[in-house]
Amino acid sequence: MAILLYELVGADPHRPFSPHVWKIALSLAHKGLDFATSPVPFTSVPAVEGGFSKTVPVIRDGDELVSESFDIALYLDRAYPDRPSLFGGAGVLAMARFVERWSQLTVHPYLGGAALMDIHDCLAPADQAYFRTSREARYGGRRLEEVAAGREAGLAAWRASLEPLRNMLTYQPFIGGAGPLYPDYIVAGAFQWVRVVSPYPFLAADDPVKAWFERCLDLHGGLMRKVPAAT
Amino acid sequence: MAILLYELVGADPHRPFSPHVWKIALSLAHKGLDFATSPVPFTSVPAVEGGFSKTVPVIRDGDELVSESFDIALYLDRAYPDRPSLFGGAGVLAMARFVERWSQLTVHPYLGGAALMDIHDCLAPADQAYFRTSREARYGGRRLEEVAAGREAGLAAWRASLEPLRNMLTYQPFIGGAGPLYPDYIVAGAFQWVRVVSPYPFLAADDPVKAWFERCLDLHGGLMRKVPAAT
């Protein structure tokens, strides 16, 4: 039986956008595992599998339920050791933990703020109300429109902050080396998130990080390209 | 014949402090290679080996001269493949490149500013003059005293920015895994730099990063402890 992946969507159930869910979709494809998806809008996440997790991704694999993207990746490597590994070895696992926190601290905060109105605008009305209330609380009561207005001013510093990734990618095509591993999916998930919700050119056309993301878009039969970029 | 390592010093030739030189001292010890050191104050760096490099570290290994810490580490692994590797494999090499840029962008800028007067004060007079002129130019003409005065205000944000490292170290004792590898020396070099020049408590006593650095201080017969901490 195929693994079931619960994925976050807005008004259009065919445009999943959660960066963390994309990490797992890519991971399932990497391991060559069959999976089906179940679209979940923000306000339905608490009902997934009887309230199993406050967030998606959640996967159901037979009787097993697993949440939290990193834990799911570890589960997949443990449960399917004969399939291509997501980590390759202890060195890449350590790198993955580092890249995961780096991505959350460096890549996500700017993108999350800059794409705030884009995300809002792709949601159904009930989810828009939830999104506005929860996010405005998270941003200390500032209005979504106000937070998103910092997009232009923050762009250059954010692009500069990608330098550790950019530098590494001048030496090798993927974070994982010659081919992609879970650390690639961690960061690719973030770029796919904004690709699906926003037409804004977050990455400069000549950025080696952009070239790497294009390579990621080609992976696994163009899995991420199946959702066309926002226009 | 022992490898010769040129190392940066202030007025006291027994207190080398360059973070990049410490990376290489640790690397030479890691590989079990005999090395001698040649102390060089700032104003003498351009004369090292007839002007071979604008910066230290520089190593002389027989007829070979190598500069730039990362290049030296690669050289050592290439030249002495039968000694313990600094990288272990391609995964750690990639991680090392990432950590190197992360350290330069995240760990160094705050420390470099915060320890500016400490560094200045440990230099001989001629080097103090050079240091003031070159660093004040680098900081857009601001006086050293003014830059260093931001130390207290920047401390909390800087400690928070170490989160990727802190998180990884909750899972394993060293960045390299069960034992140290070159990525450990990259970051340890930065902390040794400020340990040698400044009594300021950059790391909180209960920070897992501090516990890791203490483990690094114990490495290779306590190599870094041979220079007592600044008081």
Side-chain angles (χ1 to χ4, degrees), chain B residues 100-147:
Chain B
E100 209 279 330
R101 297 317 303 159
W102 174 81
S103 180
Q104 286 303 118
L105 281 168
T106 305
V107 183
H108 276 244
Y110 169 76
L111 291 181
L116 215 41
M117 287 312 301
D118 300 295
I119 299 170
H120 175 272
D121 292 347
C122 76
L123 303 179
D127 295 303
Q128 287 186 338
Y130 159 81
F131 186 77
R132 180 173 290 279
T133 306
S134 62
R135 267 40 176 192
E136 290 186 351
R138 190 182 290 177
Y139 283 101
R142 294 168 66 206
R143 281 183 57 80
L144 299 187
E145 288 79 355
E146 187 195 334
V147 176

Side-chain angles (χ1 to χ4, degrees), chain B residues 44-69:
Chain B
S44 300
V45 170
V48 165
E49 292 284 356
F52 176 70
S53 169
K54 284 183 184 156
T55 56
V56 288
V58 167
I59 64 161
R60 168 171 286 286
D61 183 15
D63 289 340
E64 293 281 347
L65 279 173
V66 193
S67 64
E68 295 293 331
S69 53

